[in-house]
Amino acid sequence: MTSRHRRIQVPCDPELDRAIARARRVFKPDAASSEIVHALAVRGAQALEQDREAEEHARAFLISVAEGASGLDLERLRDVRDRAW
């Protein structure tokens, strides 16, 4: 199918073949590989952004714990840990 969008070359190595095969199970069986690669790239970018945001959130939470601003009662958590083990 012709497109007005520029094209990029992507080597179809064994790793990409496996990814396409896995994704094909989600898509219709006769979906074009290019359609699957496009969807994987778009969803992969979204996942990368979500991972980055989760890391930033986790880092901010850890900093708040270290600074005593998280609202966690660390003494009580230590007591629960000690009683549980």
Side-chain angles (χ1 to χ4, degrees):
M1 173 183 276
T2 60
S3 173
R4 62 182 170 88
H5 300 289
R6 68 181 178 84
R7 299 202 177 270
I8 60 171
Q9 291 182 331
V10 178
C12 195
D13 59 13
E15 191 174 27
L16 182 58
D17 274 337
R18 285 190 298 275
I20 291 170
R22 290 172 56 199
R24 192 174 300 282
R25 290 183 236 148
V26 176
F27 284 80
K28 51 189 182 228
D30 60 342
S33 293
S34 59
E35 178 184 352
I36 293 172
V37 169
H38 180 272
L40 288 172
V42 170
R43 293 184 93 181
Q46 292 169 343
L48 289 171
E49 288 175 346
Q50 290 170 346
D51 289 350
R52 182 183 46 78
E53 290 170 3
E55 280 184 27
E56 288 174 3
H57 179 74
R59 189 174 294 112
F61 176 71
L62 288 174
I63 290 169
S64 74
V65 170
E67 293 175 343
S70 68
L72 291 175
D73 184 342
L74 296 180
E75 281 302 314
R76 187 165 182 174
L77 286 173
R78 284 185 194 97
D79 184 51
V80 168
R81 179 199 62 200
D82 293 344
R83 288 177 189 222
W85 304 113

